[in-house]
Amino acid sequence: MSMLAKKRVIVIGGGLAGLSAAMRLTADGHQVTVLEQGERAGGKLNIRSGQGFTFDTGPSILTMPWVLEQLFTSCGRKLENYLTLQRVEPQWRTFFEDGVNIDVSADLPTMLNEIRNVSQKDAARFMDYLQYCAKMYELCMSSFYKESLTGLADLRAMHSLKELLAMDPLRSMDQVTGKYIKDPHLRQMFNFFIMYVGSSPYGAPAVLSQLIHVQLGLGIFYVKGGMRKIAEAMLKVLAEMGTEVRTHAKVTEIQTAGTKAAGVKLESGETLQADLIVSNLEAIPAYRTLVKNHGQAEKAAEKLKKYAPTVSGLVLLLGVNKSYEKLLHHNFFFSQDPEREFSDMFEKGIPTEDPTVYVGVSSKSDPTQAPQGKENLFVLTHVPPLKDGESWQPHRERYRELVLDKLERNGLTGLRKSIEFEYQFTPDDLQSLYGANGGSIYGVVTDRKMNGGFKIPSRSELLSNLYFVGGSTHPGGGVPMVTLSGQLTADLIREDLKQPGAADAG
C-alpha cells in the first residue's frame, strides 16, 4: 500500500455498498469519511418495531455469504466474530392458487421429491438443469464477481469465445428454464429467483439462471437478531478502524473543478474537500441533484436512460395476534399468470391485478422478533417504479386490500382481524428515504436487449475522480451484490491510482 498516496475519500451515503467501499478503502490506507443523510447508516437494511414486534424493513434473505467473509477478511477481521449466520431450511414455501404447494430445499433428495410430486418428467431433467445453473455461476466467478465490468468489451477480455458462448447470450432466463422444466408451477417458481435482482425472466439473460445455484447450491441464510446486524457489523469494523461515519449529514452538492470533483457541500452549509468521491446514491439521481450545476450533468444522466430502474415495492409490516402453522420463514404466493404479471410490471409499467406476494416471518427462525404466540409478517409485493412526478398514493388503499384478499384466499384465514400492528412502505417512501430512482429496490434492471444485461459503470464518465457503488452499478442489486460492488469499486480505485495521471484521463 505504501506505493499509493493516501487520499481523502468521501463516501456519499451509508448503504451497504457505501459501507463496504469505506471498509476496503480504509484498509487500503485512505482517510475515509462516510456522509449519511439519515439517522442511521445501513441503507435499506433498516428496522422498525412496535408493540413487541420487530421487522427488518429491507432485505430478508442473505445469499452468497462468501462476499461478506471476503470483505471482513480484507480488513483483517473474521466475520464470525461479528455475525451469527443461520442456514434457513426449507428455504421457501410456495403457494399456488390451484392448491399446489412446493417447498424449496437445498437438500437434493428432498427437492427432487418435491419436484416428483408435481412432475415426474421434470424430476428426471432436474439434475441437468442444476448443472447448467452451476456452470453459469462458475463462469461468473472468474469475471463478473471478480472485477468491476463496464460492458461487453471487459467481459470479452476475461473470457475465451467458448466461455462467452457457454453463457448462452442469445437466450433469456425463461427460455432456459423452459428447456429443462415443463410444468408451469415449477417453471414459474424457478423463474421467480430472478427477483433477487428485481428483473424479468423474459428479459434477463440466461446467465442469471445461476441464481438457482446460488440458492440451492450455496444455501440461504438469516442473520441472528435480524438482517440489520449486517450493517451494524460493518459499522463496528469501521469504528475499530477509525473511519468517520457521520449521520444527519445530507450532501446537497458535489463541487467540481473542471473534469474533477473537488469536494461536497452539506445541507448545513459546511463544505468538505476530497481527492476522491464514492457515491452510494445512484448515478442518475446523483447527476440530476448533486452535480446539477455542471454543464454536462443532464447530458450524462440522459446517456444512462437505457439503465431503467428495477421494480419498486409495496411493503406491509403486519404484527398479528396468532401463529400461522402453514407459513415458513419465507413464503411466496404466486400469481396465476406470470407472463402478464411481468409484462404489466416491466413493459406497461402498471400495478398488476394479480401479483406474486412474498411473506417473510422472521419470528419463525428468531422468536425474539414477535411476542409469544404472535408473528411478524413482512409482506412485499413488487410494483412498477414511479415515473417522474408520479405518486403511489392513488393505489395505496386499493392495493393493500388486493394483497390482503389474496393472502386470505390462499389460507391465511382471519388475517385482517388478527392485525395488531401495521406499517406501510410505498414506492414514494423508498424514493424519499433512499433517493432511489423511481423508488427502485434493486438498482437497474438486467435486460439483455436494453443494456446487454450490464449495469451503470462504476467510474463516472463526467468526473474522473467520482465513482458509483450500489445496486445500479456492477454487479447489481441484493445484499451480496451491492456489498461486492463496494469491494470491486475499491479494487478499481486501487488500479486507477497505480497509473500516474490515470484518474485524470476520464
Side-chain angles (χ1 to χ4, degrees):
M1 182 55 224
S2 52
M3 315 162 28
L4 301 181
K6 183 174 177 175
K7 300 287 183 189
R8 287 169 305 175
V9 182
I10 284 177
V11 177
I12 302 172
L16 283 193
L19 296 178
S20 163
M23 282 169 72
R24 266 294 318 281
L25 291 165
T26 303
D28 278 357
H30 302 298
Q31 184 194 329
V32 182
T33 304
V34 180
L35 302 172
E36 165 58 46
Q37 65 173 3
E39 59 180 324
R40 52 176 169 236
K44 298 187 187 88
L45 269 187
N46 229 316
I47 50 171
R48 185 162 283 271
S49 47
Q51 288 163 254
F53 298 97
T54 304
F55 300 87
D56 279 314
T57 60
S60 49
I61 297 177
L62 174 66
T63 58
M64 291 166 61
W66 65 262
V67 172
L68 288 172
E69 284 163 8
Q70 175 179 287
L71 173 64
F72 279 66
T73 303
S74 72
C75 298
R77 306 290 195 280
K78 277 202 161 84
L79 182 68
E80 60 266 26
N81 294 339
Y82 296 82
L83 286 177
T84 307
L85 302 187
Q86 295 172 276
R87 208 181 172 100
V88 177
E89 190 59 42
Q91 297 179 329
W92 293 4
R93 176 160 285 171
T94 64
F95 299 83
F96 294 85
E97 293 269 357
D98 59 8
V100 170
N101 292 137
I102 305 164
D103 281 359
V104 177
S105 169
D107 178 67
L108 223 54
T110 308
M111 189 70 237
L112 271 166
N113 213 24
E114 287 286 317
I115 292 172
R116 215 170 273 124
N117 289 339
V118 181
S119 161
Q120 285 284 354
K121 277 187 179 151
D122 287 347
R125 278 187 296 258
F126 184 61
M127 295 309 286
D128 293 339
Y129 177 52
L130 274 190
Q131 209 172 348
Y132 175 93
C133 299
K135 184 180 75 182
M136 290 299 174
Y137 177 77
E138 291 306 326
L139 285 167
C140 283
M141 280 303 282
S142 62
S143 59
F144 199 77
Y145 296 144
K146 203 167 142 191
E147 282 187 26
S148 192
L149 307 179
T150 57
L152 201 53
D154 288 355
L155 201 60
R156 283 193 180 124
M158 300 181 79
H159 286 285
S160 65
L161 182 62
K162 189 179 168 199
E163 286 175 333
L164 285 171
L165 291 174
M167 288 181 179
D168 241 356
L170 300 177
R171 269 205 279 234
S172 70
M173 179 173 169
D174 170 67
Q175 285 168 327
V176 168
T177 316
K179 181 180 160 188
Y180 295 98
I181 306 288
K182 304 297 182 198
D183 175 80
H185 304 92
L186 292 166
R187 185 167 174 176
Q188 181 176 7
M189 182 180 85
F190 286 123
N191 269 342
F192 206 81
F193 280 47
I194 191 69
M195 290 316 275
Y196 279 117
V197 294
S199 299
S200 162
Y202 307 101
V207 71
L208 282 171
S209 304
Q210 62 167 298
L211 290 165
I212 315 300
H213 173 74
V214 164
Q215 177 157 335
L216 297 180
L218 308 178
I220 66 171
F221 299 84
Y222 171 72
V223 178
K224 199 171 174 190
M227 296 287 280
R228 164 86 199 150
K229 297 281 180 203
I230 298 173
E232 288 171 13
M234 289 185 179
L235 288 165
K236 192 172 174 199
V237 172
L238 287 168
E240 289 168 4
M241 292 163 80
T243 311
E244 186 184 12
V245 178
R246 290 172 59 176
T247 52
H248 299 292
K250 185 178 169 71
V251 174
T252 52
E253 189 188 342
I254 292 175
Q255 297 175 316
T256 59
T259 59
K260 297 193 84 163
V264 299
K265 186 176 179 185
L266 300 181
E267 199 167 44
S268 62
E270 185 187 351
T271 57
L272 298 169
Q273 290 178 312
D275 303 312
L276 286 170
I277 293 180
V278 174
S279 172
N280 197 169
L281 176 63
E282 291 178 35
I284 295 174
Y287 286 148
R288 294 215 158 121
T289 59
L290 303 182
V291 201
K292 58 178 182 289
N293 299 335
H294 189 289
Q296 298 296 309
E298 188 48 43
K299 199 169 157 192
E302 275 301 311
K303 263 179 85 174
L304 299 175
K305 265 291 196 325
K306 65 178 177 180
Y307 299 103
T310 65
V311 288
S312 187
L314 171 70
V315 174
L316 305 175
L317 305 178
L318 307 176
V320 299
N321 64 11
K322 63 197 288 188
S323 174
Y324 284 102
E325 295 306 312
K326 60 166 53 181
L327 293 180
L328 294 178
H329 187 149
H330 302 296
N331 311 274
F332 289 86
F333 293 82
F334 282 115
S335 65
Q336 291 187 74
D337 184 348
E339 287 192 45
R340 181 184 163 189
E341 176 186 16
F342 282 101
S343 157
D344 285 348
M345 253 189 304
F346 288 92
E347 286 160 37
K348 296 181 183 148
I350 56 171
T352 188
E353 287 307 301
D354 176 27
T356 292
V357 179
Y358 164 76
V359 180
V361 194
S362 64
S363 58
K364 295 278 187 194
S365 297
D366 187 350
T368 63
Q369 307 276 295
Q372 204 174 349
K374 302 180 180 184
E375 287 182 333
N376 63 338
L377 272 54
F378 171 94
V379 180
L380 167 67
T381 312
H382 288 113
V383 300
L386 300 170
K387 299 175 186 72
D388 286 346
E390 192 183 21
S391 164
W392 180 256
Q393 265 333 92
H395 306 291
R396 192 183 174 118
E397 273 316 300
R398 185 184 76 85
Y399 221 68
R400 173 188 178 271
E401 296 304 315
L402 181 140
V403 170
L404 295 178
D405 281 346
K406 182 176 178 92
L407 295 176
E408 289 194 338
R409 189 171 69 237
N410 284 282
L412 299 194
T413 40
L415 178 58
R416 279 185 178 83
K417 288 195 196 81
S418 70
I419 298 170
E420 287 187 351
F421 172 88
E422 178 170 358
Y423 191 85
Q424 258 193 56
F425 279 100
T426 68
D428 302 39
D429 299 320
L430 292 166
Q431 195 163 28
S432 62
L433 282 169
Y434 309 116
N437 192 13
S440 161
I441 298 179
Y442 311 93
V444 298
V445 69
T446 306
D447 187 300
R448 64 204 176 98
K449 293 196 175 83
M450 210 186 292
N451 47 38
F454 289 98
K455 304 291 179 210
I456 294 176
S458 292
R459 196 192 284 114
S460 165
E461 285 187 13
L462 188 65
L463 301 168
S464 62
N465 57 343
L466 170 64
Y467 296 82
F468 294 103
V469 293
S472 61
T473 61
H474 181 84
V479 174
M481 301 296 194
V482 296
T483 306
L484 198 52
S485 92
Q487 297 175 57
L488 297 178
T489 300
D491 288 342
L492 185 64
I493 289 170
R494 184 191 272 177
E495 289 307 307
D496 285 356
L497 291 175
K498 275 184 191 163
Q499 296 162 19
D504 305 322

